Amino acid sequence: MASLPPAPPSAFNFAQHVIETNAARAGRTAYIDDQGRLSYGELAERVRRAAAGLLALGLKREERVLLLMHDCNDWPVSFLGAMYAGLVPVAVNTLLTADDYAYMLENSRAQAALVSAALLPTLQSAMAQGPHEVKHLIVSRSSGELPAGAQSFDALLAAQAPLAPPAPTLADEPGFWLYSSGSTGRPKGTVHTHANPYWTAELYARPVLGMSEGDTVFSAAKLFFAYGLGNGLIFPLSVGATAVLMAERPTPDATFKRIVEHRPTIFCGAPTGYAGMLASPHLPARDEVALRLCSSAGEGLPQDIGERWTAHFGCEIIDGIGSTEMLHIFLSNRPGDVRYGTTGRPVEGYEVELRGEDGRPVGVGEIGDLYIKGPSAALMYWNNREKSRETFRGEWTKSGDKYSRDADGYYTYAGRSDDMLKVSGIYVSPFEVEATLVQHPAVLEAAVIGVLDEEGLTKTKAFIVLKDGHAAGEALQSELKAFVKSRLAPHKYPRQMEFVAELPKTATGKIQRFRLRAQTAVEAKA
């Protein structure tokens, strides 16, 4: 492993670390949300009041607190307040169903829930479904009457003096949970330590993004997502920068509004979002923004999207890959060293290996399973020993992604391991076919899966979302097949195509190909 920055002390509380790091920046803006600004001094006081309020409820060290909240200034206060108190915030996706939250409540055994007022009805439905241990319901930005037993977040903070000493937590003890995005099925409670966010800031925010207190950061990826948590909380607060938060979904128009109004210098998005923005008729002009750098993660960034973005705005998108299990990006392009179509090289402080089905390293140009070694790896999946053993293998973490590496050491995404196809006995990356399809001027998005033909052989099928103004039909199918054949090996072109209005995705923008496979299987039996 490459040399690491100094490790945090064994006694370490990440929330305390953030407060102390910014003690001299009390008057600087930490957050801008849809309702106002929060200075670093105000953030520190509110974090400590939140910690005191949660402990006054009778919550005890290491107990879990569900955090179901839209991105706003109350989110970092809640998250860091729980950590400061020695509690364990469990940040969950705001776009799920009551069934999902019922599962997470039971799985996490959360003793309290911090929830946005707009999400309260869904959480109440979840609580009514089955067993849970929630004793306290705290509602952010409530304007109406609250249900019996609930209290407002502002009232919780106002009732307490700031907690002076933080909980004496250890660097290696559980600090917070994130649930995996569910791109391949049931989400898993991923347990991270107090030290893990420190490492992602030291290894990625400073040396790769070059983030400093002069930056304003806006992340379309939400705070409940590991990528968004780094972009919008861990990174800016570790260097004294300003973060812009947005409660609504990151549509192109909503994103443009913040980029133009608040003029962030760093923007963090996902490939789906970049594609949608480039296709929008409202794309801002270069002189309307102040971007110096953009980042992308979630899935591989198609080369065409990166090149068109840079041509329009004059700034690079540094594509990288991270995971809920590693907390943030460990393989990345670098500013000034971007090779669109690749995910770059390993971030300093991490080691990466590609292994074949026999567990041995694969050669240059061969596709293998991606393994990572680094200090930000999660401890485990909560109450899931089998999956923990499958993923966390000693010092190494198996990512579940397939990659290849070229002679210069640059890595190219081949897709999720569960999504890989063998056509004519040769591995085919669905991502490679998708990235080729989106280069066609009629295609906005594409997803590729394998289907069995009449002889039981695997062939590729593409689900395609067209740009406005383009009509589906056999003529376009033939044109798209010829387009792919002209750019890839003949066995890779999609034998079947289906035009759809949208693709199934996680809230973080990852295509859920397993849902397309399930849908296709049902249709085949009908």
Side-chain angles (χ1 to χ4, degrees):
M1 184 184 297
S3 60
L4 295 174
S10 58
F12 182 76
N13 183 299
F14 181 72
Q16 178 192 25
H17 167 71
V18 164
I19 290 172
E20 291 180 348
T21 295
N22 297 295
R25 300 188 179 100
R28 288 182 60 87
T29 300
Y31 281 103
I32 304 171
D33 74 359
D34 299 332
Q35 295 189 14
R37 293 172 178 254
L38 191 67
S39 71
Y40 271 101
E42 292 167 332
L43 175 65
E45 179 176 349
R46 288 176 70 82
V47 164
R48 292 168 58 212
R49 284 183 182 273
L54 292 170
L55 292 177
L57 296 175
L59 298 176
K60 297 180 174 56
R61 281 282 301 274
E62 299 183 17
E63 288 186 332
R64 271 78 63 195
V65 176
L66 192 83
L67 178 52
L68 174 61
M69 197 177 288
H70 288 135
D71 282 17
C72 68
N73 291 344
D74 284 351
W75 205 109
V77 171
S78 302
F79 185 83
L80 294 170
M83 293 184 75
Y84 195 88
L87 305 171
V88 180
V90 179
V92 298
N93 184 336
T94 59
L95 299 173
L96 301 179
T97 66
D99 290 345
D100 295 314
Y101 300 134
Y103 161 75
M104 291 172 176
L105 286 171
E106 182 178 9
N107 179 254
S108 67
R109 300 180 192 144
Q111 301 294 302
L114 292 154
V115 59
S116 289
L119 296 167
L120 179 58
T122 306
L123 183 62
Q124 287 179 296
S125 295
M127 293 170 66
Q129 283 190 22
H132 64 81
E133 298 183 23
V134 175
K135 302 177 181 67
H136 308 282
L137 195 56
I138 303 131
V139 185
S140 166
R141 298 193 169 176
S142 57
S143 55
E145 186 175 348
L146 294 175
Q151 64 176 302
S152 76
F153 187 65
D154 286 340
L156 179 78
L157 269 59
Q160 301 296 326
L163 182 66
T169 54
L170 301 176
D172 287 341
E173 78 175 69
F176 60 95
W177 292 16
L178 299 172
Y179 274 92
S180 63
S181 61
S183 60
T184 57
R186 197 69 148 162
K188 300 175 286 294
T190 310
V191 182
H192 279 284
T193 70
H194 275 264
N196 285 0
Y198 166 87
W199 284 118
T200 61
E202 291 298 314
L203 297 178
Y204 189 77
R206 297 177 192 274
V208 178
L209 296 176
M211 193 181 292
S212 70
E213 68 177 3
D215 280 310
T216 297
V217 187
F218 174 44
S219 176
K222 300 298 186 179
L223 290 168
F224 63 75
F225 177 28
Y227 177 50
L229 182 64
N231 304 333
L233 190 151
I234 297 167
F235 296 172
L237 299 190
S238 294
V239 301
T242 298
V244 176
L245 300 178
M246 178 174 72
E248 64 185 299
R249 294 190 71 168
T251 63
D253 284 348
T255 302
F256 296 153
K257 182 178 186 296
R258 275 74 180 184
I259 288 176
V260 171
E261 180 178 341
H262 299 300
R263 297 182 68 79
T265 52
I266 299 176
F267 172 70
C268 309
T272 299
Y274 284 112
M277 287 187 282
L278 286 169
S280 170
H282 304 134
L283 186 68
R286 183 184 296 194
D287 61 5
E288 294 183 86
V289 306
L291 297 172
R292 71 167 181 84
L293 184 65
C294 296
S295 76
S296 179
E299 285 201 311
L301 180 74
Q303 180 177 349
D304 177 65
I305 292 174
E307 290 174 345
R308 287 193 288 128
W309 183 272
T310 297
H312 182 83
F313 285 114
C315 73
E316 297 173 316
I317 302 176
I318 54 167
D319 186 27
I321 183 175
S323 66
T324 305
E325 293 77 11
M326 295 302 295
L327 190 55
H328 212 272
I329 290 172
F330 48 80
L331 185 63
S332 181
N333 281 273
R334 309 296 201 280
D337 182 24
V338 171
R339 293 194 184 185
Y340 286 130
T342 80
T343 317
R345 295 174 289 113
V347 171
E348 292 294 318
Y350 294 92
E351 290 184 41
V352 171
E353 280 189 4
L354 299 182
R355 302 178 187 174
E357 294 178 359
D358 60 0
R360 297 182 180 182
V362 301
V364 170
E366 297 180 31
I367 293 175
D369 291 306
L370 181 66
Y371 287 76
I372 315 100
K373 181 196 296 185
S376 63
L379 293 173
M380 61 177 169
Y381 297 130
W382 181 257
N383 284 355
N384 198 330
R385 188 174 179 83
E386 179 183 357
K387 288 292 185 182
S388 293
R389 284 178 163 176
E390 184 179 314
T391 299
F392 304 107
R393 305 187 179 194
E395 294 184 288
W396 292 91
T397 300
K398 184 179 181 181
S399 77
D401 297 287
K402 294 277 191 180
Y403 264 83
S404 64
R405 184 186 69 256
D406 66 19
D408 296 326
Y410 290 79
Y411 288 72
T412 298
Y413 182 62
R416 293 288 299 173
S417 298
D418 292 343
D419 295 329
M420 290 296 292
L421 311 172
K422 262 197 174 178
V423 179
S424 301
I426 305 171
Y427 267 128
V428 173
S429 160
F431 178 76
E432 181 184 23
V433 183
E434 293 161 4
T436 302
L437 281 165
V438 298
Q439 293 175 37
H440 191 280
V443 178
L444 177 63
E445 294 180 308
V448 172
I449 65 169
V451 295
L452 298 180
D453 65 12
E454 296 81 357
E455 298 176 341
L457 301 175
T458 299
K459 305 297 182 186
T460 50
K461 177 178 180 178
F463 293 82
I464 295 169
V465 180
L466 295 176
K467 294 178 181 176
D468 290 342
H470 294 273
E474 291 185 9
L476 182 56
Q477 283 201 32
S478 298
E479 182 180 332
L480 290 173
K481 289 178 181 179
F483 183 82
V484 175
K485 283 182 183 178
S486 70
R487 287 161 172 76
L488 299 178
H491 68 281
K492 296 182 180 181
Y493 86 92
R495 304 314 201 268
Q496 300 179 32
M497 290 186 178
E498 183 175 335
F499 296 103
V500 295
E502 61 181 357
L503 298 173
K505 297 173 187 167
T506 68
T508 56
K510 294 180 181 179
I511 297 170
Q512 294 177 310
R513 295 175 187 84
F514 75 93
R515 289 178 59 185
L516 294 173
R517 289 194 292 268
Q519 171 191 322
T520 302
V522 170
E523 291 172 352
K525 291 178 181 179

